[in-house]
Amino acid sequence: MIVIGAGVAGMSTGCYAQMSGMRTRIFEKHVLPGGCCTAWARDGYIFDYCIEWLIGTAPGNEAHQIWRELGALDGKAITHFDMFNRVVDESGRSVTFHNDPDRLERHLLEISPADAKLIRAFCRDLRRFTAIELYPFLTAPALRTARERAAMLRTVLPAFRLFWRTAATPMHTFADRFQDPLLRRAFRNIFFQDPEGFPMLPYLFNMASAHHRNAGFPQGGSLGLARSIEERYRELGGSIAYRARVAKILVEGGRAVGIQLANGRRHYADHVVAACDGHTTIHSLLGGAYTGPRIDKLYGELLTRPGTLFPAVVSAFVGIDGDEGADPTHSTTYLLSAEDAARLPGALQRSLVVQLRSHYSDGFAPPGKSVIHCTYFSDFDHWRELRSTDRRAYWAQKRQVAAFVRAFLERQRPGISERIELIDVASPATTKRYTGNFDGSILAWKAFSEADDVAAALVGKDRMRLPGLGGFSMAGQWVGLGGLIRAASTGRFAVQYLCEEWGMPFRAHESTPRGVWTPARLGHLPQLDRREGRDRRSRRQSTSTSTSTSTGTGT
């Protein structure tokens, strides 16, 4: 088997194929595993790009079992937070979304007693979700046995009305019923930024998971997760070729037989799995020759429809001299004034997320220092156009982001600007360049959008195959929706479908832990190029602004 892409889905595919007796090789265009699940470094700081919470960090459920089979959590401590997020408005009023429903209810009632009915209804639903364990990630939908389907029904049916009602109620509709203006805006931003169009169900589900310690943060973060899966894959006998950009999927007689790299070299296999950007796979690697109604709808009509893809993001990492550990709040969404939002290039919403990443895991900052991650949803076309037509203006916009972040943090934490040692900015164009993701989207299709139903049919009915093409499968978030556990599960599904086709038993077993995980196992981390107008000031002012449009960011 040849696998295109060493993201979480691609490495998951490779691991399960190796466990099931196949020989595999992964081809990855970048120098690191993980795709968007990555990190990079500068001056001793590690900039962790992807994970904010990871479903499956508590034992006893199917999501955790997948991570154990992939070795993703071996030897790692897990950080858990008692709150999901805090939201602060322009006047300084704040609301903290505690994961514990009782504590959350008391807190919200203190903020707005007039909204008692809505508050109690939300917290009552949250309590109901804490009693539900539903993580159906082990068996591909079309292969589930009668016993597995019955077990799922036993979980779903008693809570059917709860699922139906919360899935049918948009969070915007619910939030607009609050009398308190802060709560009206804050509920939209429980997931740090407003995903727009989400119903209540995913908010309740994820907060309940966090309450059960099943949505924590693994030591080593995003690249640490990817490195652990990479180690597992290699131990199982697999190999990864880095700096190996696939230019074409080779097809003979209606069957995929191999790949051709950008350097012209060809590699052949019995089966090819594309675990990379879906649009690139369909229209570039395969030349648009193998489509059907579902593929045309997903990668044609819906791909550019507003609200179907997760927006791209701008990330600004801030390295700080000093320990910010006294602040117990790990994540805060600041609601911005119209004037502030206008200063953020390409901003799609009036908000900025500020996360104390040093609280998430050790090793992200040198001793005695801290790292903060600031993000906002941004328009991909704004950055793509700038980078392609006016590179100087593109870099200037990145410096504008850095300047805004510096000034904003100084307003929130007076004196911090004197301790800022560097600010490192990654744009949506960077994401596109290093991952190939369409429009720089990190999470691909939005759940609960029209694309959700089409993608579900692609996985369950089409078995992740394309019409008229044998010897080929797709995996990853472009077929199974966003989220790391979903990406990992699609790799498992792809191998299960192939094992059935080939008459081979599907095998999976948990990894043997390789000792306590340490930051040294991250390996070499790339740095961003320093040539793009890095602001060198005196050590007393302690600032340096860099940008991430060069080699090796992995973003």
Side-chain angles (χ1 to χ4, degrees):
M1 177 191 289
I2 283 174
V3 181
I4 305 171
V8 168
M11 291 191 294
S12 171
T13 303
C15 284
Y16 287 113
Q18 291 289 144
M19 283 187 261
S20 297
M22 305 176 194
R23 290 185 297 114
T24 68
R25 189 177 187 189
I26 299 175
F27 291 83
E28 167 59 47
K29 69 176 184 177
H30 192 35
V31 299
L32 292 174
C36 286
C37 190
T38 192
W40 62 98
R42 184 182 293 285
D43 299 345
Y45 292 97
I46 295 175
F47 303 139
D48 186 78
Y49 184 66
C50 176
I51 299 176
E52 293 175 313
W53 74 90
L54 183 71
I55 293 295
T57 53
N61 60 79
E62 295 187 3
H64 185 77
Q65 182 175 331
I66 287 178
W67 296 133
R68 294 289 301 141
E69 291 168 352
L70 298 177
L73 304 179
D74 286 356
K76 296 179 179 178
I78 305 295
T79 300
H80 297 285
F81 299 106
D82 292 330
M83 54 166 282
F84 209 93
N85 190 34
R86 180 180 65 167
V87 180
V88 180
D89 70 10
E90 301 89 333
S91 69
R93 292 185 70 217
S94 69
V95 55
T96 300
F97 288 96
H98 303 286
N99 296 317
D100 177 76
D102 295 336
R103 186 178 179 187
L104 176 63
E105 184 174 307
R106 290 193 299 269
H107 174 62
L108 295 177
L109 288 173
E110 289 174 357
I111 293 173
S112 180
D115 288 306
K117 184 177 180 180
L118 281 179
I119 290 169
R120 291 195 174 100
F122 183 85
C123 294
R124 182 170 58 248
D125 285 344
L126 181 56
R127 291 186 190 95
R128 290 170 178 168
F129 269 92
T130 62
I132 298 170
E133 290 276 342
L134 184 63
Y135 304 96
F137 298 118
L138 288 184
T139 306
L143 300 179
R144 288 172 185 154
T145 65
R147 176 176 293 183
E148 288 174 318
R149 295 178 189 276
M152 186 178 297
L153 285 175
R154 283 195 297 271
T155 300
V156 172
L157 286 179
F160 176 78
R161 292 182 63 185
L162 175 66
F163 283 127
W164 180 84
R165 177 171 52 78
T166 57
T169 306
M171 177 55 85
H172 280 210
T173 301
F174 178 78
D176 284 344
R177 294 165 60 191
F178 283 99
Q179 296 183 40
D180 186 280
L182 172 61
L183 295 188
R184 281 200 299 271
R185 300 169 69 191
F187 268 79
R188 292 166 157 82
N189 290 278
I190 293 175
F191 283 172
F192 312 122
Q193 294 165 99
D194 181 2
E196 296 182 352
F198 266 24
M200 294 176 63
L201 189 151
Y203 295 92
L204 294 160
F205 175 84
N206 283 277
M207 291 180 72
S209 295
H211 180 61
H212 286 307
R213 300 297 195 249
N214 199 39
F217 188 90
Q219 186 181 14
S222 306
L223 184 58
L225 188 90
R227 285 293 194 197
S228 292
I229 299 175
E230 179 194 39
E231 287 182 24
R232 172 69 165 154
Y233 174 63
R234 292 187 187 279
E235 288 175 355
L236 289 166
S239 65
I240 303 180
Y242 289 108
R243 301 183 188 274
R245 183 188 294 270
V246 175
K248 183 180 181 181
I249 295 172
L250 303 175
V251 178
E252 295 179 2
R255 186 173 186 85
V257 296
I259 59 170
Q260 180 175 307
L261 301 181
N263 62 13
R265 292 182 180 176
R266 294 188 169 195
H267 300 266
Y268 294 89
D270 299 301
H271 199 84
V272 176
V273 177
C276 52
D277 176 70
H279 183 267
T280 300
T281 297
I282 301 296
H283 294 288
S284 179
L285 302 185
L286 288 168
Y290 301 95
T291 66
R294 264 193 281 274
I295 295 297
D296 288 340
K297 187 173 185 65
L298 199 59
Y299 292 104
E301 176 188 342
L302 295 178
L303 193 65
T304 56
R305 180 182 294 179
T308 305
L309 291 185
F310 267 97
V313 299
V314 169
S315 287
F317 288 94
V318 185
I320 300 166
D321 184 13
D323 185 1
E324 299 295 305
D327 189 337
T329 304
H330 70 287
S331 177
T332 301
T333 298
Y334 290 96
L335 304 177
L336 303 179
S337 66
E339 293 76 15
D340 272 344
R343 297 187 185 100
L344 285 175
L348 295 176
Q349 297 179 1
R350 287 172 47 185
S351 62
L352 181 72
V353 181
V354 177
Q355 296 181 332
L356 305 183
R357 296 300 277 189
S358 304
H359 288 193
Y360 287 65
S361 178
D362 58 358
F364 284 170
K369 300 179 186 293
S370 304
V371 61
I372 290 177
H373 186 199
C374 301
T375 60
Y376 65 92
F377 283 152
S378 187
D379 177 35
F380 171 77
D381 288 336
H382 171 87
W383 295 96
R384 178 192 55 78
E385 182 69 18
L386 270 181
R387 192 176 186 280
S388 62
T389 61
D390 191 342
R391 196 66 60 86
R392 288 184 180 275
Y394 174 74
W395 297 336
Q397 290 267 280
K398 285 193 166 188
R399 289 191 291 272
Q400 183 176 329
V401 172
F404 178 90
V405 165
R406 179 188 302 279
F408 185 82
L409 291 178
E410 175 65 21
R411 279 157 47 189
Q412 304 302 321
R413 300 163 178 261
I416 197 172
S417 62
E418 294 295 317
R419 298 186 289 116
I420 292 178
E421 296 187 323
L422 59 86
I423 302 178
D424 200 285
V425 177
S427 80
T430 317
T431 306
K432 170 66 175 178
R433 288 167 52 230
Y434 286 100
T435 68
N437 279 9
F438 188 84
D439 279 4
S441 175
I442 295 176
L443 286 171
W445 310 109
K446 276 188 180 180
F448 304 97
S449 69
E450 189 175 352
D452 192 335
D453 292 335
V454 182
L458 186 60
V459 174
K461 294 182 179 180
D462 298 339
R463 300 189 172 206
M464 304 157 74
R465 308 293 178 88
L466 296 180
L469 182 61
F472 176 80
S473 304
M474 293 178 70
Q477 61 185 6
W478 291 99
V479 291
L481 301 186
L484 292 175
I485 187 57
R486 286 182 177 271
S489 69
T490 63
R492 204 176 199 273
F493 295 170
V495 175
Q496 287 174 338
Y497 285 137
L498 187 57
C499 283
E500 185 197 43
E501 178 184 324
W502 285 356
M504 298 174 61
F506 173 79
R507 296 189 178 95
H509 57 274
E510 292 189 3
S511 66
T512 301
R514 299 176 291 276
V516 176
W517 196 92
T518 65
R521 290 167 73 171
L522 287 174
H524 173 72
L525 275 76
Q527 288 197 119
L528 307 183
D529 189 24
R530 298 170 183 266
R531 67 184 173 85
E532 297 179 4
R534 193 170 187 222
D535 179 18
R536 297 182 179 275
R537 301 184 185 180
S538 68
R539 175 62 180 172
R540 182 178 180 183
Q541 291 179 322
S542 188
T543 70
S544 62
T545 301
S546 57
T547 53
S548 62
T549 59
S550 59
T551 60
T553 66
T555 60

